[in-house]
């Protein structure tokens, strides 16, 4: 099946700094990618839909100025957590759709100290 | 807005026992998808159901989509330790996808 990669897999940063997470579709083009957040032992919460060449669509309650999304090419979307705080610590997962299937990246575990 | 409810939250079974998780949507769905997430891993797509009343099987897994396209179930026959993980349903309505809370399955050998 299709492969979606994410980088980094883990990141620890200090409070107030920004962190960029990359999501790549390795063997297919994805005009749309999705960014999710998952708290421990909880379900996935859709944060935003990333659209290639246009602005991302954010879910209600997600701060677009804090979670910057850029989808500059058909194979790459980035999520930047700006001025990170400890409450932003979480597991961030991206996904892309090919055909009728949604493929998830391996996730990025962000810890803000 | 659309809500997808999934029960039970946890299920602990003895190896060889059956397991079922249920999803209910507050709105009619265009399709429903099922995912499995192993501990420490990421969700992996299992299947998509589209038609009213659809039933699909994958080895020991049976997936059903209700006649009203508002509920779905995943049934595992004779669980094995490799079935351990969290099973999520995701309901799709006009490209608005919502995940259920997931059912965490543990299997005692």
């Amino acid at each position: 099946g299709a492969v979606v990669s994410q980088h980094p897999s883990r990141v620890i940063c200090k409070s107030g700094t920004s962190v960029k997470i990359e999501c790549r579709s390795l063997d297919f083009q994805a005009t749309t990618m999705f960014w999710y957040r998952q708290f421990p032992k909880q379900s996935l919460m859709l944060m935003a839909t990333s659209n290639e060449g246009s602005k991302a669509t954010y879910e209600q309650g997600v701060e677009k100025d804090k979670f910057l999304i850029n989808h500059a090419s058909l194979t790459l979307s980035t999520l930047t957590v700006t001025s990170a705080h400890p409450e932003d610590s979480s597991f961030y997962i991206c996904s892309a759709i090919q055909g009728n299937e949604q493929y998830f990246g391996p996730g990025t575990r962000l810890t803000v100290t | 807005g659309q809500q997808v409810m999934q029960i039970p939250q946890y299920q602990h079974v003895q190896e060889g026992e059956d397991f079922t998780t249920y999803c209910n949507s507050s709105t009619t769905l265009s399709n429903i998808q099922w995912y499995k997430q192993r501990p420490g891993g990421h969700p992996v797509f299992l299947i998509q159901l589209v038609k009213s009343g659809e039933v699909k099987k994958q080895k020991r897994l049976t997936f059903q989509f209700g006649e009203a396209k508002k509920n779905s179930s995943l049934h595992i026959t004779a669980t094995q330790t490799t079935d351990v993980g969290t099973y999520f349903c995701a309901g799709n309505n006009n490209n608005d996808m919502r995940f259920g809370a997931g059912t965490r399955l543990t299997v005692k050998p």
Side-chain angles (χ1 to χ4, degrees):
Chain A
V3 177
V4 175
S5 72
Q6 245 180 280
H7 178 80
S9 58
R10 293 177 181 270
V11 57
I12 300 173
C13 70
K14 292 186 177 181
S15 187
T17 61
S18 295
V19 174
K20 180 185 283 188
I21 303 170
E22 293 185 349
C23 177
R24 294 181 185 272
S25 56
L26 295 184
D27 50 0
F28 66 102
Q29 293 182 332
T31 55
T32 302
M33 291 184 175
F34 303 93
W35 286 96
Y36 294 87
R37 183 174 179 176
Q38 187 177 34
F39 291 102
K41 299 183 179 181
Q42 294 191 24
S43 187
L44 293 90
M45 182 192 77
L46 180 64
M47 298 175 65
T49 301
S50 173
N51 305 298
E52 188 269 335
S54 65
K55 292 182 179 180
T57 305
Y58 289 83
E59 294 299 299
Q60 191 172 7
V62 178
E63 299 177 58
K64 62 180 181 180
D65 294 329
K66 180 169 183 62
F67 299 99
L68 300 178
I69 291 173
N70 185 284
H71 196 150
S73 78
L74 289 171
T75 59
L76 173 64
S77 175
T78 61
L79 167 67
T80 302
V81 183
T82 63
S83 187
H85 289 97
E87 57 264 31
D88 298 325
S89 298
S90 190
F91 192 53
Y92 293 87
I93 309 176
C94 69
S95 73
I97 292 177
Q98 186 189 41
N100 291 325
E101 297 192 19
Q102 182 172 194
Y103 296 91
F104 284 85
T108 296
R109 185 161 300 283
L110 170 63
T111 303
V112 185
T113 60
Chain B
Q2 175 189 323
Q3 291 185 343
V4 176
M5 292 150 285
Q6 189 173 355
I7 58 169
Q9 188 176 1
Y10 301 97
Q11 186 78 58
H12 180 70
V13 300
Q14 189 78 36
E15 188 173 24
E17 293 181 338
D18 293 353
F19 159 76
T20 305
T21 173
Y22 301 90
C23 273
N24 285 288
S25 169
S26 59
T27 60
T28 302
L29 301 169
S30 52
N31 63 67
I32 193 162
Q33 299 175 354
W34 285 91
Y35 295 82
K36 177 182 178 180
Q37 185 174 23
R38 293 181 182 276
H42 62 278
V44 174
F45 176 87
L46 293 178
I47 207 162
Q48 176 173 282
L49 304 174
V50 179
K51 298 177 182 177
S52 168
E54 189 170 15
V55 178
K56 286 188 176 180
K57 291 191 175 184
Q58 290 180 352
K59 297 182 180 178
R60 295 178 293 104
L61 277 62
T62 302
F63 304 84
Q64 292 188 333
F65 201 10
E67 294 289 341
K69 300 183 72 172
K70 295 179 73 172
N71 57 70
S72 180
S73 65
L74 157 60
H75 179 82
I76 301 178
T77 304
T79 55
Q80 299 175 358
T81 54
T82 54
D83 295 326
V84 165
T86 300
Y87 293 84
F88 293 99
C89 62
N92 203 341
N93 181 18
N94 294 326
N95 293 322
D96 179 19
M97 177 175 281
R98 301 290 164 179
F99 279 80
T103 297
R104 183 177 298 270
L105 172 65
T106 55
V107 180
K108 185 177 181 181

